Amino acid sequence: MNKPHNIIWHDSSITKEDRRKQNKHSSFVLWFTGLSGSGKSTIANAVAKELYERNIRNYVLDGDNIRNGLNRDLSFSDEDRTENIRRISEVSKLFVDNGTVVLTAFISPFIKDREKAKEIVSEEEFVEIFVDCPIEECEKRDPKGLYNKARKGEIRDFTGIDSPYEEPISPALTIHTNEQSVTESVEVILDFLKNRNLI
């Protein structure tokens, strides 16, 4: 989609650096990607709670929640999945500009879409976290009963069943939720952020 010629960017009187200074911490995106049932939302919310306890302003953008509002008009076709991630990337960029740490929990199955998200947000403010869990384990968990419905043909275009999931090639961090507890996963993430001087 081409941008209309009569739209001109208006710079804010308060900069991202101003907001970070006021908040007393940096701002960035923790982009959790993985199969349905891998534990993205659980871990993202657990990390968010730990950041909150450290007085770090943050917000979780969850895939299902976003599809109940902002992206309720989108289906699960490849084209709409791409648009879903594009919109979330733009929203994430706004949070970062506001000096906030944003944690996104989206399957985001396509490499090209995650790369575009990184480009929109900016590479230095984008931390891709691969929540790696074998599909067999995700199906055992199946907290929403979605795999069962997909296997029965009641749900179409379901990632891992009849729609592909492209694993990250070089994520910033990989969490193995079939081997690590939620507490252990959170500790790994927090240690990573401390070592990168992000918190």
Side-chain angles (χ1 to χ4, degrees):
M1 182 182 296
N2 293 325
K3 183 175 71 173
H5 295 295
N6 61 333
I7 294 179
I8 301 172
W9 183 266
H10 186 86
D11 290 325
S12 173
S13 59
I14 304 171
T15 68
K16 176 167 53 181
E17 288 68 30
D18 292 333
R19 296 186 179 96
R20 286 173 169 174
K21 185 176 180 181
Q22 183 181 56
N23 292 341
K24 297 182 176 61
H25 60 75
S26 185
S27 58
F28 51 88
V29 176
L30 294 180
W31 191 283
F32 293 86
T33 176
L35 292 170
S36 177
S38 62
K40 299 181 300 300
S41 294
T42 299
I43 295 172
N45 277 280
V47 171
K49 185 174 181 181
E50 290 296 324
L51 294 177
Y52 175 82
E53 294 295 332
R54 290 164 171 75
N55 292 316
I56 297 174
R57 298 175 186 274
N58 72 85
Y59 195 84
V60 176
L61 297 175
D62 179 82
D64 282 352
N65 293 355
I66 293 296
R67 280 185 175 272
N68 270 296
L70 177 65
N71 291 348
R72 67 188 306 170
D73 60 319
L74 299 178
S75 71
F76 288 92
S77 67
D78 287 357
E79 294 78 11
D80 278 5
R81 285 176 185 269
T82 292
E83 175 61 12
N84 183 51
I85 297 308
R86 187 196 69 79
R87 292 183 191 179
I88 295 311
S89 304
E90 294 289 357
V91 171
S92 297
K93 182 178 180 179
L94 294 175
F95 272 95
V96 172
D97 187 59
N98 188 48
T100 304
V101 175
V102 58
L103 306 91
T104 73
F106 293 83
I107 295 173
S108 46
F110 304 130
I111 290 174
K112 65 177 177 60
D113 293 341
R114 297 193 300 268
E115 287 300 310
K116 184 64 177 177
K118 185 188 297 183
E119 180 183 318
I120 290 171
V121 174
S122 84
E123 186 169 356
E124 62 271 17
E125 296 169 341
F126 187 95
V127 179
E128 184 180 44
I129 301 175
F130 178 28
V131 184
D132 189 8
C133 186
I135 191 170
E136 296 79 13
E137 178 62 27
C138 291
E139 286 201 65
K140 284 180 186 176
R141 298 174 182 176
D142 203 9
K144 303 170 187 174
L146 299 178
Y147 283 99
N148 186 42
K149 290 181 180 179
R151 292 291 186 190
K152 292 179 179 178
E154 296 173 11
I155 298 177
R156 301 292 301 276
D157 300 320
F158 190 77
T159 303
I161 304 298
D162 56 357
S163 184
Y165 177 77
E166 299 171 358
E167 294 188 1
I169 297 171
S170 54
L173 191 61
T174 299
I175 302 296
H176 300 280
T177 55
N178 61 317
E179 301 172 357
Q180 298 166 294
S181 68
V182 173
T183 299
E184 290 169 337
S185 299
V186 170
E187 288 177 355
V188 169
I189 294 169
L190 292 177
D191 285 344
F192 172 87
L193 296 177
K194 288 174 186 175
N195 291 334
R196 292 290 182 92
N197 295 315
L198 291 173
I199 61 172

